[in-house]
Amino acid sequence: MGVQLTDEMREAFANAVKDGAPVLVASASASGLPDIAYKGSAMVWDKDHLAFWERARGQTMRNLEENGQACLLYRNAQTRVGWKFFGVAEVLQSGELREEIMAKTVAFELDRDPERKGAAVLIRIDRVLQAGQVLMERDD
């Protein structure tokens, strides 16, 4: 089947906060302790990846550094559209890709990180569910 994130997903993520549907990121520590956090900077990066700016440098970042498994949830109650994205995250503390993700991060998130101490997080998506059904799944 393959994973191919869509323009509909890109548009939904781009308007998530404005639409009152901020994206949730679930992560777990190496020992399995779960955590969940809103990420107003979540975006569709390309056809295979989601990304966000991790300005808080808190539990989400620590978890993703220990255990890259992540689940992102987008749900818009008004439009009744929702997806769960499962994949593997990479925390980027420096480098060109970090800078590119930061450059595409929404201003209201970057404004809360004036010294740009945050990290970029890139998540390779392996599976997408919609209404409990597998919508997309990585072949490899």
Side-chain angles (χ1 to χ4, degrees):
M1 173 181 342
V3 171
Q4 180 84 19
L5 302 180
T6 66
D7 288 340
E8 178 187 14
M9 293 169 180
R10 182 179 304 279
E11 184 73 18
F13 271 64
N15 294 301
V17 174
K18 178 182 65 109
D19 292 344
V23 174
L24 287 164
V25 175
S27 61
S29 67
S31 66
L33 185 64
D35 185 65
I36 193 163
Y38 289 104
K39 296 298 172 185
S41 61
M43 67 184 93
V44 173
W45 183 250
D46 61 27
K47 69 179 184 66
D48 296 307
H49 297 87
L50 298 176
F52 64 90
W53 185 251
E54 176 52 54
R55 64 175 170 71
R57 301 182 64 85
Q59 192 63 50
T60 300
M61 188 166 116
R62 287 189 296 276
N63 285 354
L64 294 176
E65 288 177 329
E66 290 179 14
N67 171 9
Q69 297 295 313
C71 177
L72 284 79
L73 173 67
Y74 170 88
R75 181 174 183 276
N76 185 317
Q78 285 189 313
T79 62
R80 300 180 57 90
V81 172
W83 302 284
K84 283 186 199 175
F85 301 86
F86 297 86
V88 179
E90 177 182 3
V91 178
L92 305 163
Q93 304 271 6
S94 62
E96 186 176 324
L97 187 51
R98 175 194 180 268
E99 298 301 313
E100 289 174 24
I101 292 170
M102 183 177 59
K104 291 188 178 184
T105 297
V106 292
F108 75 89
E109 285 291 338
L110 282 181
D111 290 348
R112 297 174 76 187
D113 184 9
E115 296 177 12
R116 305 300 191 256
K117 291 184 176 183
V121 177
L122 184 69
I123 305 105
R124 184 199 71 218
I125 300 304
D126 295 324
R127 186 167 42 124
V128 181
L129 300 182
Q130 188 173 44
Q133 303 298 310
V134 176
L135 186 62
M136 302 173 196
E137 194 160 31
R138 185 168 297 288
D139 294 327
D140 50 330

